[in-house]
Amino acid sequence: MSPPATPKAPPRLFDRDLLVRRRDTAAPRFGDYSFLKARVSRDLVDRLDDTSHTFRSGVELGGHDGGVAGLLQGGGKVAVMRATDPSPGMVAQARARGLDAEVADEEALPYDPASFDLVVSALSLHWVNDLPGALVQVRRVLQPDGLFLGALFGAGTLAELRTCLTEAESDLVGGLAPRLSPLPALSDMAALMQRAGFALPVVDRDSLTVRYDSVFGLLADLKGMGERAAFTRGIGQPLPRRVLMRMAELYAERFSDPDGRIRATFEIVFLSGWAPAPSQPKPLKPGSATVSLADALRRQSGEN
C-alpha cells in the first residue's frame, strides 16, 4: 500500500515581508488612520466584558500599535496583556504607549502550547497565507478553557471598489489582474473555526460604512492603515493610470450620496471560540432533545 500523500502547503498569496515593510512605513502616523482598528478593538473588548471569566495572561496577535491590549491594560479583566505584530515599527509604537510588546508572526507563533488563557486579534488575520493553520496555532497556544476573540475583514469589504476596478480594467485593458486581497466569507470562517478544534465557536459579522470626498481619500486611508495589497512577486501588477481614473469616475457615478460624497463598505467578521476543556458544556446528541423546536417557539411567543 502506498503511503498517504503529504498534504500540500497552501499557496503563498501574500508577501509577508512586503506587508511588514508597509506596516513599518505606516507605523509613525498609524494613529491618524486607525479609526477602524480602534472601533473593532472596542467591539472586541465589549464582547470580552460579556463573559464572566477573568484571565491571567493574554496576547494580542497582529496588534499594530496594540489597540486591544491598550484598552485591556489595567482594566482588571486580564492580569497581564502582551501586544505583538510582525512589524518592528508597529511594535515600537505599542511600546511607546507603555505596552509590553514584541515582534511575532501570526503564521509562526513563537509560543509554547498552553501559554495563554486569552488570545485576541483585530484586523490582521486576513493577511495570513494559511488561515486554517494560523487558527490551529491559536488554539494550541491557549490553555484549556482559554478564549480566542478575533476580527478580520470579510468578503463584503470594499465591494464598491472591487466592482468599479473590475469594470474599469475589463473595459480598458480587456483582462483582470489581482488588485484587492481575497477575503473570507462568514460561512468560510464558521467552518474553519470548527476545523481548528475550537469548542463552542461563534461567528458573526458587522458592516460599517465610511464616507469620503472621493475614492482617493479611501485609497489614502488604506495606505495609512497598512492595508494596501501585498501580493507575492508575479501576482500583483502596477495599476495603469487610465484604469485608476476610470475607476474613480465609475465610483462617483454609482456609489455617491446626494451631497457628492462616496460610500465605502467594510465588513467585519467576528470570531470566538474556546480551547476544549472537560468542564465545558457539551452539545446534545441528535434526537436527545426533550422539547421540540415548535414547543420552544410557542413558549417564547407566549402561546399555550
Side-chain angles (χ1 to χ4, degrees), residues 8-14 128-130 232 235:
K8 293 183 178 180
R12 297 197 64 80
L13 181 63
F14 303 120
V128 301
N129 283 292
D130 180 7
T232 57
I235 295 181

Side-chain angles (χ1 to χ4, degrees), residues 45 48-49 53-59 68-69 71-82 116-120:
V45 171
L48 188 63
D49 287 339
H53 284 57
T54 56
F55 302 89
R56 295 181 297 277
S57 178
V59 62
V68 182
L71 291 173
L72 291 174
Q73 182 172 257
K77 193 71 175 179
V78 188
V80 178
M81 193 70 201
R82 181 183 305 172
F116 307 96
D117 58 357
L118 174 67
V119 175
V120 296

Side-chain angles (χ1 to χ4, degrees), residues 192-211:
L192 289 181
M193 289 291 287
Q194 291 185 324
R195 177 178 164 186
F198 286 99
L200 309 174
V202 175
V203 179
D204 64 282
R205 65 182 168 194
D206 190 13
S207 184
L208 306 175
T209 300
V210 183
R211 301 203 313 147

Side-chain angles (χ1 to χ4, degrees), residues 2-82:
S2 301
T6 302
K8 293 183 178 180
R12 297 197 64 80
L13 181 63
F14 303 120
D15 183 336
R16 295 285 292 182
D17 292 335
L18 177 57
L19 173 68
V20 167
R21 292 197 298 273
R22 288 187 168 164
R23 284 198 185 179
D24 282 343
T25 299
R29 294 191 58 201
F30 182 69
D32 296 336
Y33 299 94
S34 62
F35 59 95
L36 285 176
K37 169 78 176 186
R39 163 68 183 270
V40 172
S41 295
R42 289 194 301 270
D43 288 346
L44 288 177
V45 171
D46 288 343
R47 289 165 183 250
L48 188 63
D49 287 339
D50 288 339
T51 71
S52 59
H53 284 57
T54 56
F55 302 89
R56 295 181 297 277
S57 178
V59 62
E60 180 179 7
L61 303 179
H64 299 84
D65 63 350
V68 182
L71 291 173
L72 291 174
Q73 182 172 257
K77 193 71 175 179
V78 188
V80 178
M81 193 70 201
R82 181 183 305 172

Side-chain angles (χ1 to χ4, degrees), residues 269-285:
V269 176
F270 290 94
L271 319 169
S272 70
W274 299 82
S279 61
Q280 291 167 348
K282 302 294 189 295
L284 294 174
K285 295 180 180 178

Side-chain angles (χ1 to χ4, degrees), residues 112-250:
D112 294 331
S115 292
F116 307 96
D117 58 357
L118 174 67
V119 175
V120 296
S121 180
L123 300 185
S124 189
L125 287 174
H126 53 273
W127 281 114
V128 301
N129 283 292
D130 180 7
L131 186 52
L135 291 174
V136 168
Q137 290 188 62
V138 169
R139 197 252 306 150
R140 187 176 295 136
V141 302
L142 278 170
Q143 298 166 7
D145 207 30
L147 175 63
F148 167 57
L149 281 177
L152 66 164
F153 287 126
T157 297
L158 300 179
E160 305 90 347
L161 182 60
R162 291 175 193 274
T163 297
C164 295
L165 266 175
T166 297
E167 182 169 338
E169 191 158 24
S170 296
D171 289 348
L172 296 178
V173 181
L176 294 175
R179 301 294 179 195
L180 299 173
S181 300
L183 295 169
L186 189 72
S187 57
D188 297 329
M189 294 312 307
L192 289 181
M193 289 291 287
Q194 291 185 324
R195 177 178 164 186
F198 286 99
L200 309 174
V202 175
V203 179
D204 64 282
R205 65 182 168 194
D206 190 13
S207 184
L208 306 175
T209 300
V210 183
R211 301 203 313 147
Y212 292 92
D213 290 334
S214 75
V215 71
F216 300 105
L218 167 61
L219 297 178
D221 269 5
L222 294 176
K223 180 179 180 181
M225 296 174 193
E227 289 293 333
R228 292 170 60 200
F231 293 116
T232 57
R233 185 181 299 274
I235 295 181
Q237 298 178 20
L239 179 64
R241 179 172 176 78
R242 61 188 178 127
V243 173
L244 174 65
M245 300 310 295
R246 179 56 180 155
M247 177 272 292
E249 292 175 359
L250 292 171

